[in-house]
Amino acid sequence: MDLPIVVGVDGSEPSLRAVDWAADEAAVRALPLRLVYASLWERYEGTSLAAEVGKPSEQVRAEDIVATAARRAQRRRPEVEISTDVLPEEPEYALVRESRSASALVTGTRGRSGLAEALLGSVSLIVAGHAQCPMIVVRGNHDNQARTGTHGRIVVGVGEKPAGSAAVRFAFEEARRRGVPVDAVRAWRRPARESTDHPLLAGEPARLHEQQAVEALETALQDVPADVVAHRRVVEGPTRAVLVDASRDADLLIVGARRRPGHYGLQLGRVAHGVLHHSACPVVVVPEHA
């Protein structure tokens, strides 16, 4: 049985844009699409209802919201099988549970404007830190439209443990589906305290750290599929800033997030947290299970 792509909807324009993106992804993967509304969502997000719903918030029922989202997805991708559900519970709990039986989980940002979208909604942030499947947060395009990729490239951030990275594997699979290359990016920092005044040793610490970044990329890309083109990019700078900069001309930014069994705190990491708030394109957070 093919696991569906699940979308969290709340009636806002950003969530409907996430529905558009997820419908396209479901069509590419030939998977069903499941639209989920958690009825307590507005307590956290203060949802501004989409104009397409056409009713004041006090008159809009949960069924109206999922029905509107389903019609929108069906118009966009008639070939996709669509189901809906209304869950009378806290949205973060509902979506994390949904992630256990989903191919991917998709949400929008909370913002109602370009400025507001600089911050990710609390529900999406919590879910990103606990989801058991890849989670996509649809960022960018502040005109409330989800669009097919225009840059023709996917960026994946290569982390501290590149061997067997689930994020890198996800990037390969997505690149194959889309027919685009992958840019594997590894950031490195010039050491602040490893300096020497000896002219024969000047620059050696920096070159060593750069070489380690190159080796990490080689390890991450040692199993590139024959039908996927992968480019290697080693960039000096803070990882979050490097990846956010790379997102400006990418269709998708992919990062990993380690999951530690028995740990109940937010399992996201500073890099994933930073790009979720500031990426210029949709972000995929892929669980890296220990």
Side-chain angles (χ1 to χ4, degrees):
M1 180 179 178
D2 291 329
L3 297 179
I5 291 178
V6 176
V7 191
V9 298
D10 63 358
S12 67
E13 291 288 2
S15 83
L16 290 180
R17 191 167 66 214
V19 168
D20 291 346
W21 194 97
D24 290 344
E25 187 73 3
V28 169
R29 297 195 192 189
L31 291 176
L33 183 65
R34 175 171 163 81
L35 309 178
V36 174
Y37 174 87
S39 63
L40 300 181
W41 198 304
E42 291 188 8
R43 177 186 300 178
Y44 295 92
E45 300 299 343
T47 301
S48 174
L49 294 175
E52 187 174 344
V53 174
K55 297 180 182 180
S57 60
E58 63 270 19
Q59 297 178 7
V60 175
R61 299 174 308 198
E63 289 80 5
D64 295 324
I65 292 174
V66 294
T68 296
R71 288 194 300 270
R72 179 164 172 148
Q74 197 69 70
R75 287 196 303 267
R76 187 177 182 93
R77 290 292 186 174
E79 72 275 25
V80 172
E81 176 187 341
I82 299 171
S83 63
T84 64
D85 204 353
V86 174
L87 305 175
E89 58 186 303
E90 303 279 2
E92 58 267 51
Y93 298 147
L95 293 178
V96 169
R97 188 184 64 250
E98 289 286 325
S99 76
R100 297 170 189 157
S101 56
S103 294
L105 180 64
V106 183
T107 69
T109 58
R110 74 172 183 178
R112 269 70 67 186
S113 67
L115 177 61
E117 286 192 3
L119 295 177
L120 188 66
S122 59
V123 169
S124 292
L125 191 61
I126 291 171
V127 175
H130 295 280
Q132 297 301 301
C133 69
M135 178 178 174
I136 299 99
V137 176
V138 180
R139 296 191 55 85
N141 297 336
H142 300 307
D143 55 2
N144 294 322
Q145 298 293 320
R147 300 180 178 180
T148 55
T150 57
H151 298 289
R153 64 190 284 266
I154 289 172
V155 171
V156 59
V158 174
E160 294 294 332
K161 296 183 178 180
S165 167
V168 173
R169 290 197 303 271
F170 184 95
F172 292 158
E173 293 166 2
E174 199 67 20
R176 180 186 288 116
R177 294 186 191 105
R178 295 168 179 242
V180 300
V182 172
D183 278 9
V185 178
R186 171 71 177 180
W188 66 279
R189 301 293 298 274
R190 187 177 299 274
R193 299 181 180 178
E194 298 180 22
S195 60
T196 178
D197 295 329
H198 196 290
L200 295 180
L201 297 179
E204 282 301 320
R207 281 195 290 270
L208 175 61
H209 284 263
E210 184 177 13
Q211 182 58 36
Q212 289 173 340
V214 170
E215 292 170 358
L217 279 182
E218 292 301 323
T219 299
L221 301 181
Q222 61 187 356
D223 296 319
V224 181
D227 56 348
V228 172
V229 176
H231 303 297
R232 296 156 175 79
R233 294 179 58 194
V234 173
V235 183
E236 182 181 2
T239 302
R240 283 172 290 179
V242 167
L243 292 179
V244 168
D245 184 62
S247 76
R248 302 187 197 286
D249 56 355
D251 297 321
L252 201 61
L253 172 60
I254 302 167
V255 295
R258 281 185 288 176
R259 297 287 190 257
R260 290 171 288 173
H263 181 77
Y264 297 101
L266 192 65
Q267 301 185 57
L268 197 55
R270 290 179 297 175
V271 172
H273 189 281
V275 299
L276 281 171
H277 280 291
H278 300 293
S279 173
C281 71
V283 177
V284 186
V285 178
V286 180
E288 299 278 6
H289 296 287

